[in-house]
Amino acid sequence: MIRNQRRQQGLEYGIFLLCMQALNFGIDKIPPATLIGVIGQTLLYTGLIQVPWNAEDVCISAVKIIKYKNWRSFFLSNFEHGSDMHLYYNMISFILKGFYLEPIYGTMNFILLLIILSTGCSAMYVFLGYILMQLTGDYGYFTTCAIGFSATLFALKVVALCEEHDRMHNINGFIVPSKLAVWLELILIHLLVPNSSFVGHLGGILVGCLYSYTFIGEKIDNLIYALTGIPIIHEEQFYRRRNGLFT
């Protein structure tokens, strides 16, 4: 998620890089929902999918949702991007997370989980914006507008880490355990990419934690199972974490 910028339509360097990386990864190796998500967001960014809004029209802020009830922004802000490199980094991250999680959960389950997590990230962004404004008196938290898929990606990263056996991760040269990897990445992105939305990324992590570590995750899994008839099966470690048995 990045603070809103006007979209430059057309083929840009980031789009070229994304195409090359996807080809090098292997298009046939990318699961279908993930591949469709990458293609869809890329076509949306380039303007090849014609929509009756611009990226700046659907950026999300607490004031737009709470005061003006702009629900279009609530649902669409996750899928717009502020620049070609913003899109590139997000889609590469999405390919890696989808490659890991979609085969485990099943395509339809993964799609529904993406919808739920994305909606949750929007709600968390609005909640944090309002709460931080109340706590700090800084009205900027209430009005700052953001777009991008990275909040959802942070939520997926938490979920993916919970599916793994505990192991060490290399985050920009820092070797840290799984539990700390997502938090270190949050801090590094905030320091290295000043235009990124710290609140949006934090919201994504919190949504991922709610799904992974609390009863909310079980409720979501039960809802998805009721809709698809296919259960989401997690690694044993995931359930141990969710039930507080893993320290």
Side-chain angles (χ1 to χ4, degrees):
M1 189 169 281
I2 193 168
R3 292 175 192 148
N4 184 37
Q5 298 174 339
R6 178 171 293 275
R7 180 171 65 203
Q8 301 283 329
Q9 293 189 344
L11 182 62
E12 301 173 59
Y13 184 61
I15 307 297
F16 173 76
L17 285 179
L18 175 59
C19 293
M20 294 303 298
Q21 290 285 359
L23 289 172
N24 288 337
F25 187 85
I27 299 295
D28 58 315
K29 296 180 181 178
I30 304 175
T34 303
L35 181 60
I36 291 172
V38 171
I39 293 173
Q41 291 184 66
T42 302
L43 294 178
L44 179 63
Y45 173 81
T46 59
L48 293 177
I49 292 180
Q50 296 293 319
V51 291
W53 66 79
N54 293 319
E56 59 269 22
D57 295 333
V58 295
C59 67
I60 187 171
S61 68
V63 68
K64 285 180 72 173
I65 305 305
I66 294 174
K67 184 175 181 179
Y68 298 109
K69 307 296 188 291
N70 189 329
W71 299 112
R72 184 174 71 169
S73 295
F74 186 86
F75 292 105
L76 297 178
S77 58
N78 289 295
F79 307 106
E80 287 281 5
H81 289 83
S83 71
D84 59 322
M85 296 308 296
H86 184 207
L87 175 76
Y88 165 72
Y89 286 117
N90 275 359
M91 293 302 97
I92 292 300
S93 177
F94 185 37
I95 287 172
L96 295 176
K97 292 171 178 62
F99 175 76
Y100 178 60
L101 291 174
E102 186 176 336
I104 296 176
Y105 296 161
T107 294
M108 285 307 304
N109 286 351
F110 185 67
I111 291 172
L112 290 175
L113 183 59
L114 279 178
I115 293 171
I116 292 169
L117 291 178
S118 295
T119 303
C121 287
S122 292
M124 185 65 75
Y125 183 79
V126 172
F127 172 76
L128 289 176
Y130 176 78
I131 292 298
L132 288 171
M133 184 266 291
Q134 294 290 335
L135 292 176
T136 67
D138 185 349
Y139 200 66
Y141 287 114
F142 198 56
T143 59
T144 299
C145 233
I147 53 175
F149 199 58
S150 39
T152 305
L153 292 172
F154 266 95
L156 286 176
K157 185 174 184 66
V158 174
V159 175
L161 290 174
C162 285
E163 291 288 6
E164 295 178 345
H165 293 295
D166 225 22
R167 64 184 181 87
M168 304 303 288
H169 286 257
N170 187 333
I171 307 295
N172 285 64
F174 296 94
I175 309 300
V176 295
S178 295
K179 295 177 186 177
L180 300 179
V182 69
W183 298 103
L184 177 60
E185 188 171 340
L186 171 69
I187 294 170
L188 288 176
I189 288 178
H190 181 60
L191 293 175
L192 298 175
V193 189
N195 197 44
S196 64
S197 173
F198 180 83
V199 174
H201 295 165
L202 174 62
I205 292 175
L206 294 178
V207 168
C209 288
L210 286 174
Y211 176 74
S212 302
Y213 299 122
T214 75
F215 71 93
I216 293 175
E218 185 176 352
K219 298 295 184 184
I220 291 173
D221 286 353
N222 289 340
L223 172 62
I224 292 174
Y225 176 52
L227 292 173
T228 66
I230 303 171
I232 288 183
I233 305 299
H234 300 288
E235 296 290 337
E236 180 183 356
Q237 184 183 15
F238 193 117
Y239 281 106
R240 293 180 64 184
R241 287 173 183 267
R242 178 173 290 171
N243 292 305
L245 300 176
F246 188 88
T247 58

